[in-house]
Amino acid sequence: MIKEVQITIRLLILAAVFVAAACSGSTTSNAVLDVPGSQEAPTPVSSIRNFMDDLGRNIEVKGEVRRVVSLAPSVTELVFAAGGGDRLVGVTSFCDFPEQAKGIAKIGDTMNPNMETIVAMKPDMVFVSTASQVEAFTKTLEQNGILVYVTNPTTIDGVFYNIRQIADILGTTDKAEPMIAALRDRVGKVWTKTRPAEKVRVFVQISREPLFTIGRDSFLNEPLAKAGAISATVDVETAFPRLSKESALVLRPEAIILSDSEDNREPNEVFKDSPAVKNGRVYRIDADLISRPGPRLVDALEKLAAMLHPDLFKREE
Amino acid sequence: MNKLLRYIFILSLALLAVLFSAAMLGAESVNILSLDEQTRSILFDIRLPRIFLAACVGASLAVAGAGLQALLRNPLAEPYLLGVSNGAALGTMVAFVFFGAFEWSRPVLAFAGAGLASVAVYQMARSRAGMSVERLVLSGVIVTTFLSSIIVMLTTVLDAARLRSFTFWLLGDLSQASTMGIYVSFAAAIIGTLIIASQARGLNLMMVGERDARDFGVEVGRVRLLVFGAASLVVGAAVAASGSVGYVGLIVPHIVRLTIGSDNRLVVPLSAIVGAMFVVLADTVARTAIAPRELPVGAITALIGAPLFIYLLRRN
């Protein structure tokens, strides 16, 4: 009896080994079909490259990074700017820019990505922003042999650094450099004009009710400074604080910037006596431009500068 | 009833003191001796309406709790735990999603939701053997969970900005109140308190047992209808204006009973005053604890309420 059981177990193990072998065999052949070049020019084993992400983690890249997943709209835009858009095999359901991003397979949203979908896509690397729940995902992904790179730019230069890093990882540096140079040039043009101008005290209204704004840790503070402005709430802790109405009333901003969305088209009631409202200095800006720390932060910078300092930017219109 | 008037007098003085301190405390300091335009605006446009709403909501929820506890002969009956608040929340959400701009729809649908939820819980909890603590709490939990899942499903149709606004409101948030929300809560608090207080004698007798109450000439069905109706009314108005401020209806009547005994003729009206004080105090904490940022008031009341709930559950 015991012997029979033992034989059965052995047979089962044998069967499992066969199945496993068959499976791995089939995936290998698929991989060969997918990427015909991979066998002819195998990457040398010695090419281990090291990168440091925005959390200061060291990422060791062995071989090429061909398949990548993005876990945030800003990250998707960074990857496209880096010239690696064609490497993206998965993005979030909110990744809608550039146009091509809409056609890429979806893996859920930033806060709630589908782990199984991601692993099934067999990416070499997943790019995440700190807005994602990094800790929990990183472990699972790394256990599956998938590298995780965290982006968290806090300035426009930080965005450029991210684009260059992603390009270096993907081997698309040639495409990224002209892009970065063009963006840097645009920033320089704005900064030359706004640098001597007096700073406008602005209130950035992220949501009207309850009243959310940007605080000390927001990546918008530096672009605002370059646009010739200063956030009235630059001293408030955290990146997106919910502000009490009375504190908002006391701020008396000179201009109000509304992150454009259906419920955020008007300044909050408390600003009705502020200089901004009285002088008609209330501006709307596409929410995507100021909520995604990616290459379009330069678009935001240009728009903000032109809104806040119309006299400096007259000629171009 | 001299006793009642004396208590009301003393507690009203205490309430006034609380209201005054709350008006003086906030993210921005206010000097009432030199009121410039800005401080006047802070005080009269922002702070006082909010404090007034906090008082109405507190009174409403406490009175509903006192009424339901007496009616169901159950110390754990509370609008939030029984799913009545969630019923009102669902009603408000339906108004929010489908009738966005139509302000009247909020309290009306909240009232309807609260009413349906309380009827559902009551029917589920009732058995031939009467209504046990376990059945009531269980029914409340089930109705609450069921309603929560519908609320969560409905949130998927909201865009990001409205979702954020709604999430904060759901947690109990007095800062989003409209002028109309304040009027409606005030009217509801007064009417609800008067109705439930008028049934106090009936409730006293029903606490002994429905049969005995009938023998004493209490129209049990009428008392039940009036108390459930009034509780749904006040909870609906409170939730429509400020979301689910939890545990107020549980804690406040207990504090009152522990201090002055369980005569509902005293418990019901006094709960209204103590409830007003409790929520005004909790909201003052919410407004000032991490100023200039803000916390939702529901988080503060739950923080105090949950441990007290466990204590009461263990004592029973």
Side-chain angles (χ1 to χ4, degrees):
Chain A
M1 184 64 187
I2 294 170
K3 221 171 195 173
E4 270 172 52
V5 172
Q6 278 179 342
I7 290 168
T8 321
I9 290 174
R10 269 181 216 154
L11 281 175
L12 282 174
I13 292 173
L14 212 61
V17 170
F18 271 120
V19 170
C23 284
S24 61
S26 72
T27 44
T28 326
S29 60
N30 272 347
V32 171
L33 284 178
D34 281 349
V35 210
S38 67
Q39 266 197 334
E40 287 145 37
T43 325
V45 185
S46 59
S47 77
I48 291 175
R49 299 171 298 151
N50 285 290
F51 295 93
M52 190 183 277
D53 72 3
D54 285 350
L55 287 189
R57 298 156 64 247
N58 178 46
I59 287 120
E60 201 178 86
V61 180
K62 293 173 191 152
E64 284 185 73
V65 178
R66 290 167 177 280
R67 298 172 65 81
V68 300
V69 165
S70 155
L71 278 195
S74 64
V75 174
T76 301
E77 294 186 25
L78 285 169
V79 174
F80 269 98
D86 53 343
R87 307 284 178 88
L88 282 166
V89 293
V91 296
T92 75
S93 47
F94 294 120
C95 293
D96 53 4
F97 190 91
E99 197 58 33
Q100 300 99 288
K102 290 181 184 165
I104 300 170
K106 303 289 184 251
I107 49 84
D109 63 48
T110 301
M111 295 317 259
N112 205 7
N114 190 321
M115 212 58 196
E116 295 182 8
T117 314
I118 296 174
V119 173
M121 284 173 171
K122 297 186 188 301
D124 302 308
M125 187 176 276
V126 174
F127 287 99
V128 306
S129 76
T130 35
S132 354
Q133 299 160 327
V134 184
E135 304 254 326
F137 300 143
T138 311
K139 233 179 216 162
T140 323
L141 289 172
E142 284 176 347
Q143 276 165 3
N144 283 282
I146 300 166
L147 296 168
V148 176
Y149 185 96
V150 183
T151 67
N152 183 30
T154 52
T155 59
I156 297 179
D157 277 336
V159 170
F160 297 159
Y161 172 79
N162 278 154
I163 297 176
R164 179 167 294 126
Q165 279 272 36
I166 293 172
D168 287 347
I169 291 170
L170 302 178
T172 53
T173 316
D174 296 352
K175 290 188 213 166
E177 282 307 333
M179 171 67 97
I180 296 172
L183 289 171
R184 199 182 285 285
D185 189 48
R186 287 164 60 197
V187 176
K189 278 194 179 128
V190 174
W191 187 216
T192 320
K193 286 186 184 172
T194 55
R195 203 203 305 244
E198 204 172 317
K199 299 257 183 221
V200 184
R201 275 183 79 248
V202 300
F203 182 87
V204 180
Q205 184 174 297
I206 299 293
S207 96
R208 184 171 185 271
E209 200 68 80
L211 187 59
F212 273 90
T213 184
I214 57 164
R216 196 177 60 197
D217 304 330
S218 169
F219 60 85
L220 281 176
N221 288 315
E222 193 252 3
L224 276 174
K226 282 223 162 73
I230 181 165
S231 163
T233 48
V234 72
D235 294 328
V236 181
E237 280 168 48
T238 73
F240 295 100
R242 181 186 171 188
L243 204 66
S244 86
K245 288 184 180 171
E246 22 192 282
S247 300
L249 189 141
V250 176
L251 292 174
R252 304 179 59 76
E254 295 168 87
I256 294 173
I257 296 163
L258 305 171
S259 160
D260 200 13
S261 65
E262 196 189 329
D263 285 8
N264 199 37
R265 300 253 154 87
E266 296 297 326
N268 191 291
E269 269 288 302
V270 299
F271 292 118
K272 65 176 194 287
D273 292 324
S274 69
V277 170
K278 285 198 164 155
N279 301 327
R281 302 199 66 187
V282 176
Y283 309 104
R284 289 187 202 136
I285 185 163
D286 183 352
D288 289 347
L289 294 187
I290 58 165
S291 65
R292 300 179 182 182
R296 285 199 289 168
L297 215 46
V298 177
D299 294 16
L301 168 67
E302 288 172 340
K303 290 219 160 79
L304 290 169
M307 286 167 172
L308 297 167
H309 295 284
D311 44 320
L312 299 177
F313 292 87
K314 243 179 255 166
R315 269 165 293 157
E316 279 157 42
E317 285 179 33
Chain B
M1 278 291 98
N2 269 339
K3 207 169 161 192
L4 174 64
L5 291 177
R6 202 169 69 230
Y7 280 130
I8 287 183
F9 178 71
I10 295 168
L11 282 174
S12 298
L13 284 183
L15 176 63
L16 278 178
V18 166
L19 291 175
F20 183 76
S21 339
M24 290 302 105
L25 289 167
E28 300 300 320
S29 55
V30 159
N31 181 1
I32 48 163
L33 296 177
S34 63
L35 278 183
D36 56 17
E37 202 184 321
Q38 185 172 297
T39 15
R40 195 172 297 143
S41 191
I42 290 180
L43 204 55
F44 294 107
D45 294 348
I46 302 175
R47 209 178 281 174
L48 287 177
R50 180 170 175 165
I51 291 170
F52 185 63
L53 177 67
C56 294
V57 166
S60 294
L61 296 173
V63 157
L68 291 173
Q69 280 165 18
L71 186 72
L72 301 171
R73 270 168 292 154
N74 193 314
L76 296 179
E78 198 256 354
Y80 189 68
L81 291 168
L82 286 186
V84 182
S85 291
N86 252 353
L90 180 59
T92 313
M93 173 140 203
V94 169
F96 194 71
V97 173
F98 300 105
F99 305 90
F102 184 42
E103 255 198 301
W104 270 107
S105 64
R106 275 174 85 145
V108 170
L109 286 174
F111 171 64
L116 287 175
S118 41
V119 170
V121 172
Y122 181 74
Q123 292 299 340
M124 276 171 71
R126 207 162 59 153
S127 69
R128 267 190 213 109
M131 203 181 296
S132 68
V133 182
E134 291 79 12
R135 280 186 80 94
L136 190 73
V137 172
L138 203 63
S139 310
V141 167
I142 287 165
V143 168
T144 303
T145 320
F146 179 74
L147 294 170
S148 296
S149 62
I150 300 179
I151 290 174
V152 169
M153 277 191 264
L154 272 176
T155 57
T156 55
V157 307
L158 296 174
D159 65 33
R162 302 190 85 199
L163 179 63
R164 177 162 41 203
S165 168
F166 180 76
T167 312
F168 269 84
W169 168 82
L170 197 62
L171 286 169
D173 184 5
L174 291 161
S175 79
Q176 298 183 49
S178 62
T179 316
M180 206 199 55
I182 295 175
Y183 289 149
V184 171
S185 321
F186 180 62
I190 299 281
I191 296 169
T193 307
L194 289 177
I195 293 177
I196 298 178
S198 73
Q199 302 306 308
R201 202 190 72 91
L203 286 173
N204 276 348
L205 291 166
M206 280 169 73
M207 277 168 84
V208 184
E210 287 193 5
R211 283 268 298 280
D212 296 323
R214 270 200 194 93
D215 293 344
F216 277 104
V218 176
E219 287 178 67
V220 172
R222 213 175 87 103
V223 175
R224 198 182 284 152
L225 184 74
L226 282 172
V227 172
F228 262 127
S232 303
L233 175 75
V234 289
V235 172
V239 169
S242 67
S244 302
V245 182
Y247 293 101
V248 179
L250 176 75
I251 311 174
V252 173
H254 279 285
I255 295 173
V256 173
R257 258 184 241 113
L258 287 171
T259 340
I260 56 141
S262 55
D263 182 351
N264 285 307
R265 287 172 301 178
L266 295 173
V267 172
V268 172
L270 297 183
S271 289
I273 305 176
V274 177
M277 280 197 270
F278 178 66
V279 175
V280 170
L281 283 173
D283 188 50
T284 308
V285 174
R287 289 189 292 124
T288 54
I290 57 162
R293 290 171 295 150
E294 258 185 57
L295 295 166
V297 65
I300 308 288
T301 55
L303 206 66
I304 306 167
L308 207 92
F309 175 75
I310 294 167
Y311 168 75
L312 290 169
L313 201 65
R314 288 188 71 96
R315 230 176 51 143
N316 269 290

